[in-house]
Every structure is written in structure tokens, then in C-alpha cells.
Amino acid sequence: MSVKLRGSDLTRALLVRGDKQVWCAVDDDGDEQAMMDHCGNDFTACIVSFKEGCFYCSGGSTWLFAVPIKVVAVTQHEMQL
């Protein structure tokens, strides 16, 4: 039986695997909170390491939870322009 990693556990596994940057939704209260839109003030960060119980982003800030996300550019067609 294989374990399905999710949320912050998946981010830690990606870093252990050797990934150098993982785009994540971040929060200090939990994975679910990281994925919520806080009145338009959502937080994403490029996570570069995990040590002493914290995720570190490329800007040097620390976070307790980091959920991997996909960041992709949208096209003109998708925006219906």
C-alpha cells in the first residue's frame, strides 16, 4: 500500500527529494487555512527549505504550513479578451 502525501507533507517530501523551489500556498495555522482565500489576501511563496519545523521561502520568511500549488500563466483566450 502506498501512502498518498498531501499538503505540507508533500512539500517536505519534494524538498527531501532534492527540489530546490516549490511554489506553495502558505499559512501558520494549517494546510486548510493556507488554501483559503482570506478576503483577497492569500499568501503564496517559493519554498526553498524545511528546517527546525519551519518552511523557508526564497525571501527568508518562515511558515509552519506550505501546500504545493501550480503557478501557470493564463492566455488571452482563457481570459476571454
Side-chain angles (χ1 to χ4, degrees):
M1 171 167 59
S2 66
V3 176
K4 293 196 184 236
L5 297 173
R6 300 179 65 180
S8 295
D9 292 334
L10 178 57
T11 303
R12 280 190 288 278
L14 292 169
L15 293 168
V16 166
R17 179 178 76 177
D19 290 29
K20 301 296 183 206
Q21 299 181 340
V22 182
W23 276 105
C24 293
V26 293
D27 195 88
D28 285 331
D29 293 322
D31 285 347
E32 294 80 17
Q33 285 294 109
M35 294 304 297
M36 293 179 70
D37 181 356
H38 302 283
C39 300
N41 190 19
D42 53 3
F43 292 96
T44 60
C46 183
I47 300 300
V48 296
S49 66
F50 180 81
K51 43 189 170 175
E52 299 176 5
C54 292
F55 292 97
Y56 287 80
C57 72
S58 57
S61 296
T62 60
W63 300 94
L64 295 177
F65 299 90
V67 179
I69 59 172
K70 289 183 181 181
V71 178
V72 297
V74 296
T75 66
Q76 179 181 354
H77 177 74
E78 290 171 317
M79 300 311 293
Q80 300 178 353
L81 286 178

